[in-house]
Amino acid sequence: ISLLDIFGFERFDVNRFEQLCINYANERLQQRYVLDNFKAVQQEYEAEGIEIFDFAVVDNSDVLMLLEGKIGLIVSLNEECVRPKGSDESFVYKLKVVHNDSDRLIQERLHRPFEFAVRHFAGIVKYDARKFIESNMDKIPQDLLECAAKTTNPLIRDGIKIHLDATKDSSQGVRKRSAATSHMVLTKFRKQLNNLMKEIESTRTRYIRCVKPNAEMSPRVTDHAITMVQLECAGLVTAITISRESFPNRLAYDVTLDRFSCLMPEGKVRVMPKNDERAEAEYLLTYLLRDMSKRREALPFACGKTKIYFRSGALESLESDRMEYFSARAVVIQAWYRKSIALWSYYCLRKAVVRLQARVRGNATFSSYHAKKRAVLRLQTNTRRQLARLEYRSRRENGAATKIQAVWRRVGPMRELKKAKFAVVSIQKAMRGRRDRSNLTEKLAVCVEEARMDHRLSTLQQQVQDEASFCGETISVDEKLLEEIEEMFEYLRKEIFTLRAKNSDLKNELVEAEADKREIAQHAESIDAAAKLSNLRASQLTKTNQALIKELMQHRQEVAGLKREMKAKESRFGTEMDNLRREYEQTMGHRDIENKIIVEELKAVRTTHKIEIDMLKDELERSREDHFHETMKLKEELKKTQDAHHDYLAKLMDVLETTHAARETETARINTELKSVREQKDREIAMLRREITALKTTKKGESTVLQSPLMKDGEIRKMKESTTRHAMERAQRAQRFRSELLELEISLTNQEGTSDKEGTSLLRRKKRSLQKDDEVAKLKQKIRILEQIYHAEEKSHEKSDYETLKKLDAALSRTSNDDALTRMEEQLCRERAEKEALKAKLSSIRASRHRQKPSLR
């Protein structure tokens, strides 16, 4: 992974030569960015016949033509540097004259002679051309070069002298203009930039835009104005607007119809055009995306020649509708499947019950059989044990003789085994020696043949040398021709050596193939394949050997012919050698041309492959982004559901607390009322006791007996009035208690309804309803218990009041004081019993309340 870090676009109050170079590099990189991101998309849209975006918004080729064209800024500056009296003002003047019709070069009347402005992709930059020529030439002072040329270090001295000679030649006008401008800074910079662009083209490029959040270098502070200016200068705002206008998603016609035709209603499906995929797909998408088309000005899709292109959000909407459609159908399938599973489990349980019943009955049936079997087994074990003891004794007596026999019988087979093993080893040695001897004879034959060939070549070379020496004494022979012949002999020798090496390698391969053939002899198919391969290689070796022999004979004949021609026709030999050289050069030229064509084709294939890989990567990145957005949406929905669940739990806890507080207040009120009733009953009992004591005291005298009916009558009326008054008060309290219980039940039902409505999903409503139903059921059960207790108490009070009133009326009608006194005592006993019953009920209510408090909490 290589990282290219460059300066960003620079625009200061005064922009010099350095800012021009940096902005030039940024323009080239911006063009590379545009080609990587938008050019392929533009070509695809043009091929599909879709209306494309305005590519001129992001295209900066006119700026690059202004900077590096044939008559551009760089060429003009280099010419001005080469010219003897070149100046910055003349450079600016020529630049404005040549590019007067360019929109990228801005000419203002207020500009000074050395100022000019360029409209870059990031904005307008005004350059100060002073010292442009000096910065572009980048000369070393002459006196410094002369001083360095006088050093004693030979390496530095020779390099400086070469540079001084080159500068002298350039000053004399010997070099051409291209050579004179090659050492300029802008020329070197453009060359390095071109090499960098070539290297970037051969790699997979990713772009990272660095943004400076604020000018103060403070952490966690963002200046939005500065950030937006940087984004505009980087061209990201324009790229984003173009991406919004483009179509990020695409599908084929058949895929679109296959995926989304299920969303059409049956009535619309009948009206759809048939036998035309494009018309059918366009009708389908127009109907399905009608809501999105109303919200937008343009259609959310476009139909190409082979594909349908979707704008952002259109394909996601269709996919969500398709998912909802399949989810609804999946629920029906799940219901049927669950029904099938339930039926299957029912049948399985029924079979299991039948099997269990059969097993139980079988166990009951075979219990007697097992008992009889155990008895028989006991008899068998006893008899077998006796027989085993007898056999053990006999074996123990005859065991030693058996061991001796076994050892003696083992001696003979062991001897035979050793003899057979020795024979096998000797046979293996003989076979391996025979194989090695055959391989040795073959290798000796090859070595003898190689030695004969070497001897023949050496004798032939010696003959040539002798003839050459003989000719040299008599006739003047061309030494170059002899050298060429010797070189040819050396070349033939090397070729023979290489062929021998190849022949040996092929023979080794043949040996290895034969070894493999012997190793895998058990597999018939592998043996045939290896045999065919070895035969093929052997035939190839024989062919190559024959070809080598033929070539060797041809070379010998050519050498003999050359000797004869060398003696007779030296001039003709020279012409023939020239013709051979020309033919060789022509063949080499043809080969170079073919190699270049192959290299260009390979580059074209690589570029197309790279474009396809980039397109696939873009699609993969888009799919990853879509997947990431879907996961983020699901996370947000999960978070919302969790928040709603927490809110519902909080509300439910508040409702439970309020109901618990209301129940506590109600129980406290009931306790106070019960306490007041109990005190009132105690007072009534005390009054009755006092009356009984008064009656007992008055019984002693007749005068008191004569006056007692009148007094007793008045007291009985007072008691009757008090009991009726107490009964009315108790009825009012019971009515109030019932109304409060009814209000509490209504509030619980209202809370139940509101809590059900607050839920959004079915699962959450089920959970809430289960929790709420448990709590509400508990509260209602407690309210019913309290109501039953209160009703029982009221009934007992009403019954006691009724009995007391009845007794009082009977007492008024009677005249006997003794009967009234006995009845009053009986009534008092009953009142005491009722009081004790009320106390027991009150204690049970308190105990139940204490037990129910933890569950409510």
Side-chain angles (χ1 to χ4, degrees):
I1 298 173
S2 300
L3 183 66
L4 175 62
D5 187 10
I6 65 165
F7 288 99
F9 186 82
E10 291 188 354
R11 179 171 58 187
F12 303 122
D13 294 336
V14 178
N15 299 286
R16 302 287 185 182
F17 184 77
E18 293 80 7
Q19 281 73 40
L20 178 65
C21 294
I22 291 169
N23 295 335
Y24 170 49
N26 284 318
E27 289 286 349
R28 289 294 299 273
L29 288 172
Q30 177 67 17
Q31 187 186 29
R32 184 74 254 166
Y33 172 74
V34 170
L35 291 174
D36 289 342
N37 289 282
F38 299 109
K39 199 69 177 178
V41 178
Q42 183 189 14
Q43 292 175 359
E44 184 180 359
Y45 288 175
E46 288 177 354
E48 291 289 336
I50 296 174
E51 183 181 357
I52 60 173
F53 51 86
D54 188 8
F55 191 71
V57 178
V58 293
D59 191 12
N60 62 342
S61 57
D62 50 356
V63 182
L64 292 175
M65 287 298 296
L66 174 65
L67 294 175
E68 61 180 9
K70 292 183 179 180
I71 54 173
L73 187 145
I74 296 173
V75 176
S76 300
L77 184 59
N78 289 335
E79 289 180 354
E80 199 66 26
C81 291
V82 173
R83 201 165 62 86
K85 293 183 181 180
S87 62
D88 300 326
E89 290 81 2
S90 62
F91 157 68
V92 174
Y93 176 73
K94 289 179 182 179
L95 183 66
K96 291 182 177 180
V97 169
V98 172
H99 298 282
N100 190 19
D101 56 347
S102 177
D103 296 334
R104 294 291 184 171
L105 184 66
I106 299 172
Q107 302 181 18
E108 294 182 0
R109 295 181 180 179
L110 297 178
H111 282 173
R112 287 177 285 184
F114 50 82
E115 290 181 348
F116 66 96
V118 178
R119 183 181 284 106
H120 291 280
F121 75 94
I124 299 171
V125 181
K126 184 174 73 174
Y127 293 99
D128 190 349
R130 287 178 292 186
K131 295 185 179 181
F132 263 39
I133 295 174
E134 182 180 353
S135 300
N136 191 29
M137 293 178 70
D138 195 15
K139 285 186 177 180
I140 302 173
Q142 188 70 21
D143 53 355
L144 183 61
L145 290 173
E146 292 176 356
C147 180
K150 295 178 181 179
T151 183
T152 57
N153 192 341
L155 181 63
I156 299 174
R157 184 175 63 247
D158 295 338
I160 295 297
K161 284 183 179 180
I162 291 169
H163 185 71
L164 285 173
D165 294 337
T167 53
K168 287 179 182 179
D169 293 337
S170 64
S171 63
Q172 292 174 4
V174 176
R175 294 190 299 172
K176 296 180 181 180
R177 179 166 296 184
S178 62
T181 58
S182 61
H183 68 281
M184 299 296 175
V185 174
L186 270 177
T187 305
K188 294 178 182 178
F189 186 75
R190 181 172 64 178
K191 187 176 180 181
Q192 294 173 0
L193 196 58
N194 290 330
N195 294 330
L196 178 63
M197 290 296 110
K198 289 180 181 178
E199 187 173 358
I200 289 173
E201 286 177 1
S202 62
T203 59
R204 294 170 58 189
T205 311
R206 294 289 182 273
Y207 298 92
I208 300 171
R209 302 285 187 178
C210 300
V211 179
K212 185 178 178 182
N214 54 63
E216 291 81 10
M217 301 293 181
S218 320
R220 298 181 181 179
V221 176
T222 303
D223 191 347
H224 296 287
I226 295 174
T227 305
M228 286 302 297
V229 169
Q230 293 180 33
L231 293 175
E232 289 176 356
C233 291
L236 291 178
V237 177
T238 307
I240 290 168
T241 54
I242 291 173
S243 299
R244 286 178 179 175
E245 293 178 0
S246 62
F247 303 91
N249 301 315
R250 57 187 64 83
L251 287 175
Y253 284 106
D254 54 351
V255 176
T256 305
L257 292 172
D258 185 34
R259 288 184 68 83
F260 305 118
S261 60
C262 60
L263 301 177
M264 289 287 288
E266 294 181 359
K268 296 290 183 180
V269 172
R270 296 171 184 171
V271 185
M272 285 176 64
K274 304 296 182 182
N275 300 324
D276 189 359
E277 287 186 348
R278 180 168 181 173
E280 190 174 355
E282 188 172 1
Y283 182 81
L284 173 69
L285 295 177
T286 304
Y287 178 76
L288 295 178
L289 299 175
R290 59 187 183 279
D291 296 333
M292 192 175 290
S293 301
K294 292 177 182 177
R295 293 195 298 269
R296 293 184 178 181
E297 295 179 358
L299 286 173
F301 66 94
C303 296
K305 295 179 180 179
T306 60
K307 297 178 183 178
I308 299 176
Y309 292 83
F310 297 91
R311 295 189 187 274
S312 60
L315 187 61
E316 289 81 0
S317 176
L318 291 174
E319 290 291 342
S320 63
D321 295 340
R322 181 173 176 270
M323 186 60 67
E324 290 178 359
Y325 176 82
F326 283 115
S327 298
R329 271 65 182 172
V331 170
V332 178
I333 296 169
Q334 287 173 358
W336 178 83
Y337 182 69
R338 287 169 183 165
K339 183 193 74 175
S340 302
I341 290 173
L343 287 173
W344 180 75
S345 61
Y346 166 71
Y347 292 140
C348 290
L349 288 173
R350 191 171 68 180
K351 289 180 181 179
V353 169
V354 172
R355 288 177 183 175
L356 184 61
Q357 290 175 356
R359 183 65 60 84
V360 171
R361 290 167 185 169
N363 291 331
T365 305
F366 290 118
S367 59
S368 61
Y369 167 75
H370 288 300
K372 294 176 182 179
K373 188 177 179 180
R374 282 194 295 271
V376 172
L377 287 174
R378 285 177 185 176
L379 294 173
Q380 290 177 355
T381 51
N382 289 327
T383 54
R384 287 170 184 169
R385 182 178 61 186
Q386 295 296 330
L387 294 173
R389 283 180 180 178
L390 295 173
E391 187 177 358
Y392 172 70
R393 287 176 183 176
S394 64
R395 287 185 179 181
R396 189 173 181 182
E397 292 174 355
N398 300 324
T402 305
K403 288 181 180 178
I404 293 167
Q405 290 175 359
V407 172
W408 176 250
R409 289 170 184 169
R410 190 177 59 185
V411 171
M414 287 295 291
R415 289 176 183 175
E416 293 178 358
L417 178 63
K418 288 180 180 179
K419 289 179 182 179
K421 191 174 182 180
F422 179 75
V424 169
V425 171
S426 61
I427 291 167
Q428 287 178 353
K429 287 181 180 179
M431 293 300 293
R432 288 170 183 168
R434 185 177 178 182
R435 186 187 61 189
D436 294 337
R437 282 193 294 275
S438 63
N439 293 332
L440 182 62
T441 54
E442 291 176 359
K443 291 180 180 179
L444 285 173
V446 171
C447 292
V448 169
E449 184 66 25
E450 290 178 356
R452 287 178 183 175
M453 294 297 294
D454 293 336
H455 181 68
R456 289 179 183 176
L457 285 174
S458 61
T459 54
L460 184 61
Q461 188 176 4
Q462 187 66 32
Q463 289 177 5
V464 171
Q465 289 178 0
D466 293 339
E467 290 177 0
S469 62
F470 178 74
C471 293
E473 293 176 359
T474 58
I475 303 169
S476 62
V477 183
D478 193 359
E479 295 180 356
K480 290 183 179 180
L481 184 60
L482 293 174
E483 290 177 358
E484 289 177 357
I485 291 169
E486 289 178 357
E487 289 177 358
M488 189 178 293
F489 276 122
E490 291 294 331
Y491 174 75
L492 290 172
R493 187 178 288 106
K494 290 179 182 179
E495 288 292 328
I496 289 168
F497 287 155
T498 54
L499 291 172
R500 285 175 183 172
K502 290 180 180 179
N503 193 4
S504 63
D505 293 335
L506 291 171
K507 287 180 179 180
N508 292 328
E509 290 179 358
L510 181 60
V511 172
E512 290 177 358
E514 290 176 355
D516 294 336
K517 177 182 175 182
R518 286 191 298 271
E519 288 177 359
I520 58 174
Q522 294 178 358
H523 304 284
E525 294 179 358
S526 301
I527 289 171
D528 294 335
K532 290 179 182 178
L533 181 62
S534 61
N535 292 327
L536 181 61
R537 288 182 179 177
S539 63
Q540 289 178 356
L541 286 173
T542 54
K543 288 179 181 178
T544 52
N545 288 328
Q546 291 176 2
L548 288 172
I549 292 167
K550 288 180 180 179
E551 288 179 0
L552 183 60
M553 295 300 293
Q554 289 177 0
H555 285 303
R556 287 177 182 176
Q557 292 175 3
E558 287 177 359
V559 169
L562 287 171
K563 287 180 181 180
R564 291 191 297 271
E565 289 178 359
M566 182 178 63
K567 292 177 182 178
K569 298 177 181 179
E570 293 180 356
S571 60
R572 184 178 177 182
F573 180 76
T575 55
E576 287 179 357
M577 290 296 293
D578 293 334
N579 292 327
L580 289 172
R581 286 175 184 173
R582 283 195 294 272
E583 288 177 359
Y584 177 74
E585 289 176 357
Q586 288 177 0
T587 54
M588 293 300 292
H590 289 307
R591 288 182 181 176
D592 293 335
I593 292 167
E594 290 176 356
N595 291 329
K596 289 180 181 178
I597 292 168
I598 291 168
V599 170
E600 290 176 356
E601 290 178 354
L602 184 61
K603 286 183 180 179
V605 170
R606 285 179 180 175
T607 52
T608 55
H609 183 62
K610 183 181 178 183
I611 291 167
E612 291 176 356
I613 289 171
D614 293 335
M615 291 173 68
L616 291 173
K617 287 179 180 177
D618 294 335
E619 291 179 358
L620 182 61
E621 288 178 357
R622 291 192 191 98
S623 64
R624 285 179 180 173
E625 289 177 358
D626 296 336
H627 181 66
F628 177 73
H629 291 311
E630 289 177 359
T631 51
M632 292 300 293
K633 287 180 181 177
L634 292 173
K635 287 181 181 178
E636 290 177 358
E637 290 179 359
L638 181 60
K639 189 176 180 182
K640 290 179 181 178
T641 53
Q642 288 177 353
D643 294 336
H645 183 63
H646 290 311
D647 295 336
Y648 170 71
L649 288 176
K651 291 179 180 179
L652 187 61
M653 290 302 293
D654 293 335
V655 171
L656 290 174
E657 288 177 358
T658 53
T659 53
H660 181 66
R663 192 180 63 80
E664 289 290 335
T665 54
E666 188 65 26
T667 51
R669 188 175 60 78
I670 291 168
N671 288 329
T672 53
E673 289 179 358
L674 289 173
K675 189 176 180 181
S676 63
V677 170
R678 186 175 59 188
E679 291 176 353
Q680 188 176 0
K681 291 289 183 181
D682 291 336
R683 286 195 298 270
E684 290 177 358
I685 291 166
M687 288 175 66
L688 290 172
R689 284 178 179 175
R690 286 193 299 270
E691 289 177 358
I692 289 167
T693 53
L695 288 171
K696 286 180 179 180
T697 53
T698 54
K699 191 177 178 182
K700 294 178 181 179
E702 291 180 355
S703 60
T704 56
V705 172
L706 293 172
Q707 294 176 358
S708 62
L710 296 174
M711 294 175 65
K712 186 177 179 181
D713 191 8
E715 289 175 358
I716 288 169
R717 287 192 180 91
K718 289 180 181 178
M719 289 175 66
K720 187 176 180 181
E721 291 175 358
S722 64
T723 51
T724 53
R725 186 172 64 252
H726 291 316
M728 291 174 66
E729 291 176 357
R730 282 197 300 273
Q732 292 176 359
R733 286 197 299 272
Q735 186 66 28
R736 188 167 61 253
F737 181 72
R738 290 192 189 93
S739 63
E740 289 177 357
L741 286 177
L742 184 61
E743 289 176 359
L744 184 59
E745 289 179 355
I746 291 167
S747 64
L748 287 173
T749 53
N750 291 329
Q751 289 172 4
E752 180 180 359
T754 55
S755 62
D756 289 336
K757 291 178 181 178
E758 288 174 357
T760 56
S761 65
L762 182 61
L763 182 60
R764 191 160 59 249
R765 283 203 296 271
K766 286 182 178 178
K767 289 181 179 178
R768 291 179 179 177
S769 63
L770 290 172
Q771 295 175 358
K772 175 185 64 55
D773 291 339
D774 293 337
E775 297 295 334
V776 170
K778 289 178 182 178
L779 290 173
K780 287 183 177 180
Q781 186 178 3
K782 292 169 185 176
I783 291 167
R784 291 191 191 97
I785 292 167
L786 291 174
E787 189 175 1
Q788 289 175 2
I789 293 167
Y790 193 80
H791 286 321
E793 186 180 358
E794 288 295 325
K795 285 180 180 178
S796 64
H797 283 302
E798 289 176 358
K799 188 177 180 181
S800 62
D801 292 337
Y802 178 72
E803 289 178 354
T804 52
L805 289 172
K806 189 175 179 181
K807 290 174 182 178
L808 288 172
D809 292 333
L812 288 173
S813 62
R814 292 173 186 172
T815 57
S816 176
N817 292 329
D818 294 331
D819 294 335
L821 185 61
T822 55
R823 289 188 180 88
M824 291 290 284
E825 288 178 355
E826 290 174 359
Q827 184 182 356
L828 184 61
C829 292
R830 282 194 295 272
E831 291 288 339
R832 287 177 180 175
E834 290 175 359
K835 183 179 178 182
E836 293 296 332
L838 287 172
K839 285 181 180 179
K841 288 180 182 178
L842 185 61
S843 61
S844 64
I845 289 168
R846 288 175 178 174
S848 64
R849 187 183 63 184
H850 286 297
R851 284 195 301 272
Q852 292 167 2
K853 274 183 180 179
S855 63
L856 284 173
R857 290 175 184 173

